[in-house]
Amino acid sequence: MDKQIEAFKRLLCIMNDLREKCPWDRVQTMDSMRTLTIEEVYELTDAILEHNMDGIKEELGDVLLHIVFYSKIASESNDFDIADVINNLCEKLIYRHPHIYGEIKVKDGEEVKTNWEKLKLRKGKKGLLSGVPQSLPALVKANRIQDKVRSVGFDWDDKSQVWDKVNEELGEVKQEINKGDAKKMESEFGDLLFSVVNAARLYNVDPESALERTNKKFMKRFNHLEKNSLQSGKTLKEMSLEEMNSLWEEAKKFD
């Protein structure tokens, strides 16, 4: 524990120095840091998807820097400091874990999550979904919404029933495509995507991670396709679909 405490104290001292002496750090505000923070979190998620432990370590440091930076800025206006942030977190963790720090008994992780939502509402949340950040990416938000409503029993009795809903929404998409109404097509595509996210959740698949892995896989295969087309002396536009498919199948071997 002493080692961790000393490392954290060192970081706080460095942050104080940077805020006082560095021309860039000195002029930053919470607003100017916001988009940089989002970028750092995405870099962390990339490292996690790649199971890159050195990358995770580095990106966690960058995220921690931002937490310390925001706290330093707030301390200058006497709103709060890093101690307030940590103590507030500690109190929240104790409050949300009465099965550890109180007399509540739970049988599994799902019951823990259900209790969390009840405790949040008791704390004054306006509604079950009020805690879902508005700025979350739509795919992540859909999964979070569905996970929250599940905690109060708003879910399928049998998870296999979700496929009827997926097929229903797919049929409605096709109907609107045939009609050619762009606005309704968008609406039905949204419903279809929402139902697919629901299916992923029910089968314990994180849809954001699943789609991002597919993105990375597609990009890797396409890069192989592009590289080999150039080696053959052709651009992709000059290749036939059959030639591209052949290279695509070859790229699958390297997944």
Side-chain angles (χ1 to χ4, degrees):
M1 184 71 75
D2 289 344
K3 179 182 175 182
Q4 288 94 326
I5 292 173
E6 286 304 313
F8 195 63
K9 285 172 62 178
R10 184 184 179 205
L11 172 60
L12 294 179
C13 289
I14 291 172
M15 184 72 256
N16 288 341
D17 285 342
L18 296 180
R19 188 65 174 168
E20 180 182 345
K21 302 172 183 177
C22 174
W24 186 88
D25 291 281
R26 194 165 52 229
V27 298
Q28 297 310 305
T29 65
M30 289 192 180
D31 287 335
S32 70
M33 293 287 292
R34 179 180 175 274
T35 55
L36 298 175
T37 304
I38 293 170
E39 181 180 327
E40 295 296 352
V41 172
Y42 274 111
E43 289 178 358
L44 172 60
T45 63
D46 282 345
I48 291 171
L49 280 175
E50 294 165 2
H51 296 261
N52 179 350
M53 298 308 293
D54 286 338
I56 293 171
K57 178 176 67 176
E58 180 177 352
E59 298 306 337
L60 281 172
D62 290 342
V63 172
L64 178 57
L65 169 61
H66 281 238
I67 294 169
V68 170
F69 209 147
Y70 286 119
S71 301
K72 176 62 178 175
I73 292 171
S75 72
E76 294 166 356
S77 56
N78 294 316
D79 287 302
F80 60 83
D81 62 17
I82 190 65
D84 296 318
V85 172
I86 294 171
N87 285 324
N88 186 69
L89 173 59
C90 290
E91 293 303 321
K92 182 191 293 184
L93 290 173
I94 292 169
Y95 177 74
R96 290 188 181 177
H97 291 78
H99 51 288
I100 302 296
Y101 300 102
E103 304 299 323
I104 300 296
K105 304 295 182 183
V106 293
K107 61 182 179 181
D108 55 28
E110 284 304 315
E111 195 167 330
V112 170
K113 288 169 68 176
T114 299
N115 285 340
W116 279 344
E117 296 303 338
K118 290 178 181 177
L119 289 168
K120 288 177 188 177
L121 289 174
R122 198 179 300 167
K123 267 287 191 179
K125 294 284 186 181
K126 294 180 180 179
L128 187 65
L129 300 180
S130 63
V132 179
Q134 292 300 310
S135 57
L136 277 179
L139 190 66
V140 178
K141 187 187 290 187
N143 191 49
R144 195 75 186 100
I145 289 169
Q146 293 166 7
D147 196 48
K148 278 184 169 289
V149 299
R150 178 188 189 184
S151 68
V152 294
F154 193 78
D155 206 356
W156 302 98
D157 293 326
D158 184 335
K159 63 183 179 183
S160 64
Q161 294 172 320
V162 74
W163 298 113
D164 291 332
K165 185 62 175 175
V166 171
N167 288 326
E168 175 190 328
E169 297 297 351
L170 178 59
E172 291 177 2
V173 167
K174 291 178 178 178
Q175 287 178 12
E176 295 306 331
I177 288 174
N178 290 333
K179 293 177 183 176
D181 187 321
K183 188 173 182 179
K184 288 185 178 178
M185 274 192 282
E186 180 188 57
S187 176
E188 295 302 338
F189 265 110
D191 291 346
L192 175 60
L193 290 170
F194 194 84
S195 66
V196 170
V197 169
N198 207 357
R201 175 188 61 82
L202 288 167
Y203 286 88
N204 298 315
V205 173
D206 176 62
E208 173 68 20
S209 295
L211 182 57
E212 183 57 16
R213 289 186 193 281
T214 295
N215 288 340
K216 289 180 178 294
K217 180 169 61 179
F218 182 93
M219 291 173 69
K220 183 180 177 182
R221 290 177 182 177
F222 191 83
N223 288 338
H224 176 88
L225 173 64
E226 195 170 36
K227 178 181 176 181
N228 282 271
S229 70
L230 292 174
Q231 288 177 351
S232 70
K234 292 183 177 180
T235 65
L236 289 177
K237 286 188 175 182
E238 293 171 331
M239 296 184 75
S240 67
L241 184 57
E242 184 178 349
E243 288 174 314
M244 285 192 282
N245 281 334
S246 176
L247 287 173
W248 187 264
E249 291 300 320
E250 181 182 297
K252 289 182 179 180
K253 298 174 184 177
F254 301 100
D255 287 346

